[in-house]
Amino acid sequence: MKQFLRIFSLLFGLSLLLYWATPTQAKSGALDNIKKRGYLLWGSDAEGGAPYIFPDPKDPSRLIGFEVDIAEALARELGVSARQSQNAWDSLIPALQRGDFDMVMNGIEVTPQRQTKVLFSIPYYIYTEQLVVRKDETEIRDINDLKGKKAGTLSGTVAQDILMNLGSVNVRIYAGQVEPYEDLAIGRIDAVLLDLPIAAYYGKTNPRLRYAGEPVGEGFYGIAVRKGDDDLKIELDRIILKLLQSGELKKIYEKWDLWNKAQDKLLAGVKDTSGYSDIEASKNAPVRTFFPMLLKGAGITVLISVASMALAVTLGLVLTLTRQYGRPLLGRLATSYIEIYRGTPLLIQLYILYYGLPNIGISLSPVIAAVLGLGMNYAAYEAELYRAGISAIPKGQMEAALSLGMTQRTAVQRIILPQAFRIALPGVTNDFIALFKDSSLVSIIAMVELTKTYTILAASTLRFFELGIIVAVLYFAMSYPLSLLARRLEERLKGKSR
Amino acid sequence: MIRIRGLHKSFGAQQLFKGLDLDITRGEVVVCIGPSGSGKSTFLRCINGLEHFEKGEIIVDAIELHSIRKVRPERQDLEAIRQVRLKVGMVFQQFNLFPHMTVMENIIEAPVRVLGRKGEEAYRDALALLEKINLQQKVDSYPDQLSGGEQQRVAIARALAMRPEAMLFDEPTSSLDPEMVGEVLSVIKSLVNEGMTTVIATHEMGFADEVADRVVVFDKGDIVEMGPPEEIFSNPKAERTKVFLSRVLKR
Ligand SMILES: Nc1ncnc2c1ncn2[C@@H]1O[C@H](COP(=O)(O)OP(=O)(O)O)[C@@H](O)[C@H]1O
Ligand SMILES: [Mg+2]
C-alpha cells in the first residue's frame, strides 16, 4: 500500500509538472466550441483598467470600457454573447495558455516574444507611449530628459522596456495604472510613461498633470488566442476588418476619445512589428543573465524583512510592557492597537500607509512605508507572543524578585523578560519566516523586491516556469536556515528550562 | 521590630483576618503553626507587602505599611514597601530561584542591582555565604541542576546576601523530599543561633519546639494562642490548639 502511494504521488507530481511545462494544446474547433457554448469567454483585468475595461462609476456592478464595446461587437458577429473573465494583467497570457478563456483582449502589445507563445489577430488599435509630468515641471520636455529622474510605469509593458533601455533612469514599476499618476502628482516620482489610452484617462484628466512631448513608440494591440486555435484567429481577423470598414470601431474609439490619426494605418493593414529587436534579444537570453536583477530583488527582500522585523520586535515589546505594566488607559490603547492590527488585512494597512496618508499631507517613501507597514503589523503578533511568554512564568518569580527589594521595573527587566523571551523565541523566529514571505506584499507600493522582480521579468519574457522555480529556490534558501534555527531553539527549550 | 495592629484582610467577600495583633522583638524567633489554610502564608506575605490588606497597620523598624491600596498605589506607597522588603528577607516554599541564572548570579543579582554593590565585592560575599551552606562547588550550576534541598539553601543565601534585619520563612521544607529536610533546617538553625530576627511558618513540630522563642497558633485566620513552645506543646490552653496538635502528632 505504501509502495503504491509513493508511486502514485510520484506520477501525480510528474503529470503536474508536465501540465505546467507544456502549454495546453487546444483541441480542434475552438470556434465550434464557442458557438456551441453560446458565449465568448475573454480574459482581461478590470482592476484600475480604465479606459480599457473598468467598473462603471455610476453602477460598479457593470463593466465598461472600449474593449468591452469591442468584445460585444465581436460576440455579436459570432452570434454569441460576450463574457469577461477577470485575471491579473501580468498573468493573462499564461492563463490563456492554461485554457482559462478563449482569448485575451486587454491592451496586449503585439511583440515577437509574445508571438512565440500565442497567436495574435490583426491589430485592433495602434497605441503610442505618452510621457506625463507635473504642470510645474521645467526640466523634462520629452523622454530624452529622463536621465537621473524617477519615472513610473506599469509592470510588463512596452513602456517599461523603453524606460529600461534608456539607461540611468530610475524606473519605478507599479501593478496598477492609478498609482503611478497619484505618486507623480504628489511628487514621489518625476514622470510617467504609459500607453496613450491610459495617459488620456488618468493623466490628462488630472489638473496637476500635463503631457510632455510627442507620443513615442508606436505599436499594436492585438487579440491573443491559443496556438492551434487558427480557426478562431481567422474569424476574429475577418470581424475586426469588417468593424474597421464599417466604421464601427472608429465610433467606439471616438466615444472613448481615443481616435487619432495614427489609427488610419489600421485600415492600411500595417503588419510591421519591427523595432523591438534589441529589446527582444534580452528576452531569449540564458537564465543566468537575470541573476543580477533577481539577486538585487532578494537583497531588497532581506533588507525590508530584517528592518521590519527589528521594528516589530521592539515595538511589540513596548506594546506588551504598556499592556501588562502600564497605566490602565495606555494599556487599553496598546490592546486596541494589537486587536486592530491583527484584525485587518496587511494589504489594507499598506494601502492606507502609502496611498492614503498623502491625502492628509504625509507622504512616505516606498522603503519607509514598507518597513513601517510590515513592522507595525508584525509588532501586534510579537506583542502577543511576549504576552504568552510572560504569562507562562510562575507568579513566584516576580514575588521572589520583589522580596529582594527590586522595583517592578528591575524585576521585569532582569527576571521576567529574559525568561519570557526564551519562551517566545521559537514563535518569533517563525514569524520572521512568515514576514519574509509577506514582504512580497510591499510590491503594491512600488517596491521592487524579489517577488516583484519575478513578476516583472516573467511578464516580459513569459518564462513563468523557470524563473518561478529560481525565485522559489531563492526564497527557500533564505528561509530554510531560519527554520532550522527555530527548530533547534525549540528543541533546546524543551530539554531545559533555562 | 515588627509590630502588627488590627490587621484585616479578606479575599473577595471572604474575610480571613479580623484584627490580628502581634509584636516581634529584635532577635526573637517566632514560629507560626496551624492547619493548612489557616492563614500563615498570608500573614507572612502581608508583612513584606506581597499581599495588600484593607485595615490595620504593620510597622517594620519604624516604616509604616498601612492599608496599602492594591489598585493604583502611589509612588511613596511602593517605595515604603520596598524599604520594608530591604529589611525583611523572605524564603518561599517553592524556592523561586531564577532559572536563567547560575547560583552565583542568583545571589549577587539583587546586591548589585538594588544595593549598587560592586560586582567583585558581591561575588566575594556570595562565595562566603555559599561556603557556610557548603555549596561553594555549585557556584556555576543552574537551579535545575540542583536537588530541592540545595535549591532551598541557595534561596536562603540569596535572601541573606541582602543583609536583612529579619527573615521570613514560609514552609521552607514542605516541598522537599524527607531526606533533604534536615540540611535546610540546620541552615535555618545556625542562622537563628546568630541572633537573626525570624518568623517561620512550618509543620515541623520538633523543629518548632527546638528553635522557637514563641509559638503562634493560627486557625481559620485567627491567632488562637501564643506562648513559649514548652507551654504550647505540653500544656495548650485553647481547644483548637489541642485538636490541631493531636491531629499532627498522631501522624
Ligand atoms: N490569592 C488568594 N485568593 C483567594 N483566596 C486565597 C488566596 N490566597 C489564600 N487564600 C485563602 O486564604 C486562606 C489562607 O491561606 P494561606 O495563607 O495560604 O494558609 P496557610 O499558609 O496557613 O496554609 C485559605 O482559605 C486560602 O484559600
Ligand atoms: Mg501556606
Side-chain angles (χ1 to χ4, degrees):
Chain A
M1 188 63 193
K2 253 190 187 158
Q3 192 79 9
F4 168 77
L5 271 180
R6 200 173 306 150
I7 291 172
F8 176 78
S9 54
L10 193 76
L11 284 178
F12 185 71
L14 268 178
S15 57
L16 258 183
L17 260 179
L18 283 174
Y19 181 64
W20 282 332
T22 56
T24 321
Q25 292 299 324
K27 315 289 167 296
S28 60
L31 193 56
D32 292 342
N33 278 341
I34 293 169
K35 290 190 170 159
K36 219 179 295 163
R37 203 198 297 139
Y39 59 86
L40 171 69
L41 196 58
W42 64 293
S44 55
D45 186 359
E47 189 197 322
Y52 299 78
I53 171 167
F54 59 106
D56 187 348
K58 286 184 223 114
D59 174 15
S61 66
R62 216 168 68 94
L63 292 173
I64 56 172
F66 74 90
E67 285 178 341
V68 175
D69 293 345
I70 297 174
E72 268 155 20
L74 292 172
R76 186 195 66 224
E77 293 295 323
L78 284 168
V80 294
S81 61
R83 249 188 224 185
Q84 189 260 0
S85 173
Q86 171 62 30
N87 198 300
W89 196 85
D90 276 356
S91 55
L92 278 170
I93 299 281
L96 172 71
Q97 289 178 310
R98 210 168 49 220
D100 287 0
F101 19 77
D102 301 316
M103 59 173 233
V104 171
M105 173 171 58
N106 202 194
I108 305 284
E109 300 110 336
V110 180
T111 63
Q113 176 62 24
R114 289 202 178 106
Q115 280 171 324
T116 65
K117 309 273 176 183
V118 293
L119 278 181
F120 275 107
S121 69
I122 59 166
Y124 63 92
Y125 186 76
I126 298 181
Y127 68 85
T128 45
E129 305 294 342
Q130 180 61 54
L131 192 67
V132 173
V133 296
R134 274 184 302 279
K135 275 255 161 70
D136 57 6
E137 177 64 56
T138 52
E139 291 174 30
I140 304 172
R141 273 150 309 175
D142 61 36
I143 185 169
N144 297 311
D145 297 331
L146 285 178
K147 292 226 154 45
K149 302 283 185 187
K150 288 179 224 154
T153 187
L154 269 182
S155 155
T157 56
V158 167
Q160 179 197 333
D161 289 334
I162 294 174
L163 287 175
M164 296 269 197
N165 275 38
L166 282 173
S168 70
V169 178
N170 186 348
V171 184
R172 290 284 171 82
I173 290 151
Y174 294 81
Q177 349 197 323
V178 192
E179 292 87 349
Y181 293 105
E182 293 280 309
D183 276 5
L184 174 59
I186 63 173
R188 274 188 184 135
I189 54 177
D190 306 311
V192 173
L193 184 71
L194 274 175
D195 295 10
L196 186 62
I198 306 173
Y201 193 85
Y202 292 105
K204 204 178 179 185
T205 54
N206 190 324
R208 283 184 287 179
L209 306 179
R210 63 174 172 81
Y211 284 177
E214 288 298 307
V216 294
E218 217 166 78
F220 307 101
Y221 288 155
I223 298 172
V225 301
R226 270 182 296 276
K227 290 220 155 156
D229 289 356
D230 297 72
D231 52 342
L232 178 58
K233 173 202 152 38
I234 291 166
E235 183 66 4
L236 289 174
D237 285 352
R238 190 187 62 75
I239 298 173
I240 292 171
L241 208 61
K242 187 177 162 194
L243 295 174
L244 273 169
Q245 282 161 345
S246 71
E248 185 171 353
L249 260 185
K250 185 177 178 180
K251 236 181 259 158
I252 291 175
Y253 292 141
E254 278 171 347
K255 168 180 163 194
W256 292 98
D257 198 18
L258 295 172
W259 183 262
N260 53 22
K261 282 241 310 264
Q263 307 307 325
D264 286 334
K265 290 185 206 156
L266 278 175
L267 258 179
V270 186
K271 287 249 154 78
D272 178 24
T273 51
S274 68
Y276 295 109
S277 49
D278 44 342
I279 301 165
E280 293 307 316
S282 76
K283 293 183 176 171
N284 296 315
V287 167
R288 108 183 88 79
T289 54
F290 301 121
F291 273 127
M293 258 186 94
L294 288 172
L295 287 180
K296 190 178 163 211
I300 291 174
T301 290
V302 170
L303 177 86
I304 289 179
S305 306
V306 169
S308 30
M309 196 62 195
L311 174 63
V313 165
T314 330
L315 180 58
L317 181 61
V318 172
L319 286 170
T320 306
L321 292 181
T322 314
R323 186 178 179 175
Q324 303 284 116
Y325 306 109
R327 298 196 164 273
L329 181 70
L330 289 176
R332 270 203 296 281
L333 276 179
T335 307
S336 313
Y337 176 100
I338 292 166
E339 292 309 328
I340 289 169
Y341 269 83
R342 293 198 317 158
T344 54
L346 175 55
L347 201 59
I348 304 291
Q349 294 163 16
L350 285 171
Y351 265 116
I352 293 176
L353 208 57
Y354 189 71
Y355 295 113
L357 284 188
N359 292 354
I360 55 168
I362 304 165
S363 162
L364 302 171
S365 79
V367 187
I368 302 286
V371 171
L372 273 184
L374 284 169
M376 286 168 71
N377 179 273
Y378 269 78
Y381 292 92
E382 300 326 295
E384 281 297 289
L385 285 175
Y386 299 150
R387 191 179 62 95
I390 288 175
S391 58
I393 294 166
K395 198 163 108 270
Q397 290 289 310
M398 177 57 104
E399 290 184 347
L402 291 178
S403 79
L404 288 167
M406 292 188 199
T407 56
Q408 180 175 267
R409 189 193 184 91
T410 311
V412 169
Q413 247 172 42
R414 301 286 307 173
I415 309 302
I416 305 300
L417 284 185
Q419 296 184 59
F421 275 138
R422 270 156 238 250
I423 298 170
L425 200 53
V428 173
T429 327
N430 278 328
D431 270 2
F432 193 20
I433 297 167
L435 186 143
F436 235 121
K437 290 174 287 176
D438 272 358
S439 69
S440 63
L441 282 176
V442 305
S443 60
I444 62 143
I445 56 177
M447 277 305 297
V448 183
E449 39 64 72
L450 186 52
T451 298
K452 192 64 189 173
T453 309
Y454 164 63
T455 53
I456 290 167
L457 286 177
S460 57
T461 62
L462 296 178
R463 288 152 84 166
F464 282 90
F465 185 72
E466 41 184 330
L467 289 175
I469 298 287
I470 293 170
V471 166
V473 166
L474 278 177
Y475 269 112
F476 186 73
M478 293 187 286
S479 66
Y480 188 60
L482 279 173
S483 295
L484 285 182
L485 184 69
R487 202 168 312 152
R488 280 237 328 249
L489 288 172
E490 229 162 308
E491 265 156 27
R492 229 186 80 180
L493 286 169
K494 221 180 287 163
K496 287 177 185 166
S497 56
R498 61 171 192 273
Chain B
M1 174 184 184
I2 302 173
R3 181 186 162 95
I4 293 141
R5 283 287 173 277
L7 180 65
H8 281 71
K9 161 83 188 157
S10 42
F11 288 106
Q14 197 168 332
Q15 183 150 31
L16 182 62
F17 299 147
K18 303 170 266 292
L20 296 187
D21 301 310
L22 188 69
D23 285 284
I24 299 163
T25 54
R26 198 170 286 277
E28 195 181 9
V29 178
V30 172
V31 176
C32 305
I33 60 172
S36 285
S38 58
K40 306 182 295 294
S41 297
T42 309
F43 182 68
L44 295 183
R45 291 161 59 81
C46 282
I47 295 178
N48 86 340
L50 288 176
E51 290 298 344
H52 75 121
F53 52 93
E54 295 89 41
K55 230 172 97 186
E57 57 188 54
I58 297 177
I59 301 163
V60 177
D61 212 22
I63 301 169
E64 300 185 8
L65 273 190
H66 297 320
S67 359
I68 299 158
R69 288 193 296 162
K70 191 180 186 179
V71 203
R72 316 233 4 218
E74 300 288 327
R75 183 169 295 254
Q76 62 260 34
D77 289 339
L78 292 176
E79 191 47 31
I81 298 173
R82 213 173 66 83
Q83 288 306 325
V84 167
R85 287 173 182 153
L86 288 177
K87 289 183 187 291
V88 183
M90 179 144 185
V91 171
F92 303 84
Q93 184 178 340
Q94 300 298 339
F95 328 139
N96 296 341
L97 290 182
F98 307 135
H100 59 300
M101 294 180 173
T102 62
V103 165
M104 179 54 75
E105 288 163 349
N106 261 280
I107 297 175
I108 64 172
E109 178 68 17
V112 172
R113 298 276 153 191
V114 179
L115 301 178
R117 306 212 17 222
K118 284 212 189 66
E120 221 172 289
E121 200 186 297
Y123 186 93
R124 239 181 296 120
D125 286 0
L127 218 52
L129 279 169
L130 284 172
E131 264 164 40
K132 244 162 83 181
I133 58 174
N134 205 21
L135 281 178
Q136 63 273 34
Q137 72 283 6
K138 301 283 188 186
V139 272
D140 294 322
S141 303
Y142 282 89
D144 62 2
Q145 295 168 324
L146 302 181
S147 73
E150 290 169 332
Q151 287 190 53
Q152 191 62 300
R153 279 145 69 200
V154 172
I156 295 171
R158 180 175 69 177
L160 290 177
M162 293 300 283
R163 302 191 180 157
E165 292 172 33
M167 285 286 288
L168 309 175
F169 292 88
D170 186 7
E171 301 199 24
T173 58
S174 292
S175 37
L176 293 178
D177 292 337
E179 73 267 23
M180 295 173 184
V181 170
E183 63 189 62
V184 171
L185 290 184
S186 79
V187 168
I188 300 175
K189 219 178 292 170
S190 69
L191 189 62
V192 162
N193 289 338
E194 287 167 23
M196 175 69 78
T197 312
T198 310
V199 186
I200 312 172
T202 187
H203 288 293
E204 300 288 334
M205 294 306 149
F207 177 70
D209 194 15
E210 193 178 340
V211 300
D213 294 323
R214 197 151 38 124
V215 174
V216 180
V217 186
F218 279 79
D219 187 45
K220 294 185 183 127
D222 304 322
I223 292 180
V224 289
E225 187 171 0
M226 61 176 127
E230 1 6 301
E231 205 172 288
I232 297 287
F233 288 119
S234 33
N235 191 17
K237 294 195 184 61
E239 192 54 36
R240 282 148 92 184
T241 312
K242 287 178 195 162
V243 173
F244 169 67
L245 285 176
S246 73
R247 219 182 301 138
V248 239
L249 296 177
K250 220 183 283 166
R251 263 191 269 145

